[in-house]
Amino acid sequence: MTNAQSRIQSVDILRGLACVLMAIDHVRVYSGVPAGGPTADIFFTRWVTHFVAPMFCFFAGTAAYFHGRKLGDLGGLAKFLLTRGLLLVVLELTLIRFLWGFYLRPDFALAGVIWMLGWCMVLLALFVRLPAARVGWIGVGIVALQQLFQLVPRVLPESVRPAFSNFWNFIYPAGNDPWGGINILYVIVPWVGVMMAGYGFGVLFQREAAARDRLFLRIGLGMTAAFLVIGGGLALAGTSDVGSGGAPFYMRLLGQQTYPASQLFLLMTLGPAIALLPAAERARGWFSAALGTIGRVPMFYYLAHLLVIHLLAIATMRLHFPAFDSAWYATAPYTSIPDENRWTLPMLYLVWAIAIVILYFACKWYAKRKALSPARWMAYL
């Protein structure tokens, strides 16, 4: 039986791993290296970061479950999720927008991963008074049946359909321009289902350790096997998300639909993550301790990593390319870097490694301060 008052090491370690992988993709954004393909090294530089959003979202739900256990008050949990979720939405549109581009432009706003996590927390707050297992199964249903959300605008009267579709684009792609001109990277469905599934998954941590670990392995390996069988069959048939088009089999298999995240994409990413939980819970040594330190303060890490990576990217560009123009980063993560100014992959990974070292020490300082003298606002970071 896990003590609700204690931290779950495996969750912290996997969240820390997600943070470290996320930095690869965001260094890639500033480097100008394309997102995947055509060569294996570039493809896997992008592919390995696909695990980040599912792990963040799923384990945010699990962390919410344990926060509710710690509070002993579902009403208090709902209030926390509501206020923290709205704070994340505000941060996405203000501070995070500034950190990405060092600009605050009224003509450019982004509904990114923090926006998505924020609204998913707000919606999860509406369900936490239900039994946690039921919330989890509702989440699984949302993920499995996500394509049905495409049909919602179509059943409305023609007179209101266009305006409603503009709003519905934030929920699930409806084919219209989004309201407010906001660039949408992450829609709410299926991600709210992922977070709800993670919330219900928290119940399984209450089992005896050996039985719990066996169950996690069965669930994780079962999801991974389902992905390999279904995704492999579609890839061989030439009907995968990347199509046939002469792409290698591994690209057809692993190149699953990301926006919005398909069922196969979530099986591919969450299956291995869940299967790793038993090993992460038993892990010892400096590497797992470092990941756990980062994973204890994921929101602090997110804000800090954008600042650190952006500054390192500017320094790298100015050292290597005298013609660097800061406007290339103005609408990051959509950057416009000339081909001749793109980094090599070794340069990308060197900057990433430097960033991780800096961020580890920053997270270690913040985690220690949060543990020794926690202010109320620290619960939100």
Side-chain angles (χ1 to χ4, degrees), residues 14 76 86 105 136 146 200 242 256 290 323 336:
L14 288 181
L86 292 176
R105 294 174 42 164
Q146 60 174 281
V242 297
Q256 298 299 325
S336 53

Side-chain angles (χ1 to χ4, degrees), residues 2 8-9 15 21 34 39 54 126 130 275-276 298 300 316 351 378:
T2 302
I8 307 300
Q9 172 179 286
R15 287 198 302 191
L21 293 177
T39 58
L126 304 178
L130 295 176
L276 278 174
F300 172 83
T316 302
V351 173
M378 287 185 171

Side-chain angles (χ1 to χ4, degrees), residues 306-329:
L306 288 178
L307 176 63
V308 169
I309 289 173
H310 195 164
L311 291 174
L312 286 175
I314 291 174
T316 302
M317 281 290 193
R318 292 198 180 279
L319 283 172
H320 290 273
F321 306 107
F324 169 66
D325 184 353
S326 61
W328 297 344
Y329 295 160

Side-chain angles (χ1 to χ4, degrees), residues 64-77:
Y65 171 82
F66 278 100
H67 190 65
R69 298 268 300 181
K70 181 178 180 180
L71 291 174
D73 175 15
L74 292 179
L77 174 61

Side-chain angles (χ1 to χ4, degrees), residues 39-63:
T39 58
D41 52 358
I42 295 178
F43 176 85
F44 282 106
T45 292
R46 170 60 172 160
W47 179 80
V48 73
T49 67
H50 285 331
F51 291 83
V52 174
M55 290 167 68
F56 263 141
C57 194
F58 186 81
F59 291 121
T62 306

Side-chain angles (χ1 to χ4, degrees), residues 193-205:
V194 173
M195 187 175 288
M196 293 171 70
Y199 181 82
F201 189 78
V203 174
L204 302 182
F205 278 92

Side-chain angles (χ1 to χ4, degrees), residues 90 94 152 248 282 376:
V90 172
T94 54
V152 173
R282 296 190 298 269
R376 185 174 181 181

